């Protein structure tokens, strides 16, 4: 089993600019987000998950209990209702709005890093991180 807890440095995007545009970001905002090389800290302790993201203009830290819906702080003061589940070397985050799924992220961990696969209304993007 791969070590999930650790620090990760963002190195590459696939379709992330386009995903940001689908969320309503302007070209300028999407371009800035696409160029951001954030550092993510992931801590898994039993059924508790902590995710800290540094480098998007503001550090954001969220705490989850596996299988339980939690408030997830996002950029610009946005809060979503998010449930995290774990299966093997992956963590799945499902955000809901008005009771239905609106956005999901699948965190796939490897010995060398982390791939975050995001899905918004059927559109997929990826952010790729290396393990520090």
């Amino acid at each position: 089993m791969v070590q999930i807890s650790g620090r990760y440095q963002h190195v590459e995007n696939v379709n992330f600019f386009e995903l940001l545009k689908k969320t309503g970001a302007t070209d300028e905002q999407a371009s800035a987000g696409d160029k951001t090389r954030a550092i993510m800290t992931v801590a898994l302790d039993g059924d508790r998950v902590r995710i800290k993201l540094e480098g998007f203009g503001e550090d954001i830290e969220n705490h989850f209990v596996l299988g339980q819906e939690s408030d997830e702080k996002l950029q610009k003061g946005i809060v979503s209702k998010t449930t995290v589940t774990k299966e093997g070397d992956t963590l799945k985050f499902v955000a809901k709005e008005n009771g239905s799924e609106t956005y999901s992220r699948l965190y796939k961990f490897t010995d060398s890093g982390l791939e975050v696969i995001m899905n918004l209304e059927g559109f997929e993007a990826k952010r790729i991180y290396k393990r520090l």
Side-chain angles (χ1 to χ4, degrees), residues 64 66-70 81-85 92-96:
F64 305 93
L66 293 175
Q68 293 182 15
E69 187 174 81
S70 301
K81 298 290 186 186
T82 302
T83 303
V84 181
T85 55
K92 184 174 184 179
F93 295 71
V94 176
K96 290 187 177 181

Side-chain angles (χ1 to χ4, degrees), residues 46-99:
D47 66 349
R48 303 205 179 274
V49 179
R50 179 178 61 88
I51 305 286
K52 182 175 183 182
L53 200 56
E54 304 168 67
F56 271 108
E58 59 182 299
D59 293 350
I60 296 175
E61 185 170 328
N62 286 290
H63 298 261
F64 305 93
V65 176
L66 293 175
Q68 293 182 15
E69 187 174 81
S70 301
D71 286 342
E72 180 181 16
K73 296 175 280 186
L74 305 170
Q75 281 75 29
K76 299 180 184 174
I78 298 169
V79 177
S80 72
K81 298 290 186 186
T82 302
T83 303
V84 181
T85 55
K86 180 182 180 298
E87 186 173 316
D89 298 331
T90 65
L91 292 175
K92 184 174 184 179
F93 295 71
V94 176
K96 290 187 177 181
E97 194 172 284
N98 298 325

Side-chain angles (χ1 to χ4, degrees), residues 17-29:
F17 175 89
E18 294 83 357
L19 181 93
L20 292 173
K21 291 289 293 176
K22 286 188 167 294
T23 66
T26 65
D27 283 347
E28 184 179 309
Q29 291 166 330

